[in-house]
Amino acid sequence: MADNVGVAVVGVGFVGGQAHVPAFKKIEGSNLIALCDLAEDRVKPLAKKYDVPYYLDYNELLEDEKVEAVVLSLPTPLHYNMAMQAIKKGKHVLCEMPVAATIEQTKELGKAAEEAGVVLMPNLNFRFAPIYVKIKEMIKAGTIGKPIALHFREFIPASALAEQWPPGSWAWNLEKSGGYPDFTLSVWSLDMFRWMFDCEIESVAWKPSYPKLEEAGGITGYNTMGVIKLSNGIVGNLHYGATTNAAAAISRLEVYGDNTNVLHAINTDKIILYGSEPERQEWDLSVRGTRVWGHRQTDAHFVQSILQGKTPDITIDNAIKVQEIAGQIVGSE
Ligand SMILES: NC(=O)c1ccc[n+]([C@@H]2O[C@H](COP(=O)([O-])OP(=O)(O)OC[C@H]3O[C@@H](n4cnc5c(N)ncnc54)[C@H](O)[C@@H]3O)[C@@H](O)[C@H]2O)c1
């Protein structure tokens, strides 16, 4: 068995530059061979910081035989072609989510990877986020009895949305991206519910709205609500938002159990259990860096799956399932 995998991170913007590059530099079994980005002013300083070469041209990168795996942290509309190119060159692919703008393209990539005998893993990193791992463990241990209901809300600041994905960017282009930013950003948590409760999302009813925010420079935000029913009977209430200021940004999961206890996971670091005797218990998770949202652990799982010749726990079917659920936001206004 080889003792490392030659990895290249392609696209070193928000998630590539801040999460995947530092993670792949550190994790066991990963040999970070190169970075690749069209924007030299972005990739050059990063390559210097991490002491790795960089490519501006993806085709040239794919010719590098030392590169055994690519991490595609690129705008979603580029995933399909660039993943297909890598698969055809026999490279393993860790692909950011959504994997492609359509379910058909996502399935095609899965089939191509299977035929080529390479790993194609979607980056559904919430499964590895320590806060959700602990919540899952607590539920499994019977802390709240049988889970019966959930509330989830995830608000990113309107200013962050405006900076990252302003009107006119790919994330607002239905044809290129498969949905609006609420579609793109809901896939990780939808996958997390399937994984946490070990069941399917049986049905969903979405009500999105896209208000224009005059006070925030006239940008368009989103407030998207969903009601889900899981196959084990859990009912859930979801709210994805990007209309608030930064002070109100939050990620919060509440899970209600049939023994009357309730678990709250607040942002990435705080868990509260509402019970009786004691009425309230709190845990602070002191996780830092690229582990917080599970990126580093997901990246490590990708590398270990390749080294051990195993199918990763996160498969293309997981991506298809959540893209189908999130895709129903489109047209439900
Ligand atoms: N897993 C997560 O936590 C998470 C969070 C946010 C976004 N995402 C996903 O990650 C992907 C990228 O999102 P982002 O917010 O990081 O985007 P971004 O715009 O910040 O970064 C994309 C990078 O790709 C580069 N690029 C564009 N075309 C290229 C090409 N042909 N060759 C090489 N480089 C090219 C750009 O120059 C840019 O640096 C999207 O699919 C998004 O949905 C994942």
Side-chain angles (χ1 to χ4, degrees), residues 9 12 18 95 101 113 124 131 140 174 181 200 219 227 230 256-257 276-277 289-290 295 301 308 312 327:
V9 177
V12 296
Q18 290 182 33
C95 190
L124 288 161
I131 190 130
K140 244 185 160 168
L174 277 184
E200 287 304 333
I219 63 143
V227 177
L230 305 187
Y256 299 79
S276 48
E277 295 169 24
T290 57
H295 291 98
H301 182 67
Q308 293 168 22

Side-chain angles (χ1 to χ4, degrees), residues 10-17 19-20 36-40 42-43 55-58 72-79 82 95-99 123-126 164-165 170 184-185 187-188 293 295:
V10 188
V12 296
F14 176 64
V15 73
H20 294 303
C36 175
D37 201 296
L38 289 178
E40 190 162 21
R42 194 171 295 157
V43 67
Y55 288 88
L56 299 175
D57 184 331
Y58 182 60
L72 300 182
S73 32
L74 296 151
T76 307
L78 301 175
H79 291 178
M82 292 172 79
C95 190
E96 263 307 341
M97 282 292 295
V99 167
N123 191 49
L124 288 161
N125 49 283
F126 277 19
Q164 184 71 1
W165 294 333
W170 60 265
T184 296
L185 292 177
V187 291
W188 290 275
W293 282 110
H295 291 98

Side-chain angles (χ1 to χ4, degrees), residues 35 39-51 54:
L35 311 184
E40 190 162 21
D41 58 340
R42 194 171 295 157
V43 67
K44 193 176 173 181
L46 210 63
K48 190 165 179 236
K49 179 174 174 190
Y50 290 98
D51 193 24
Y54 68 89

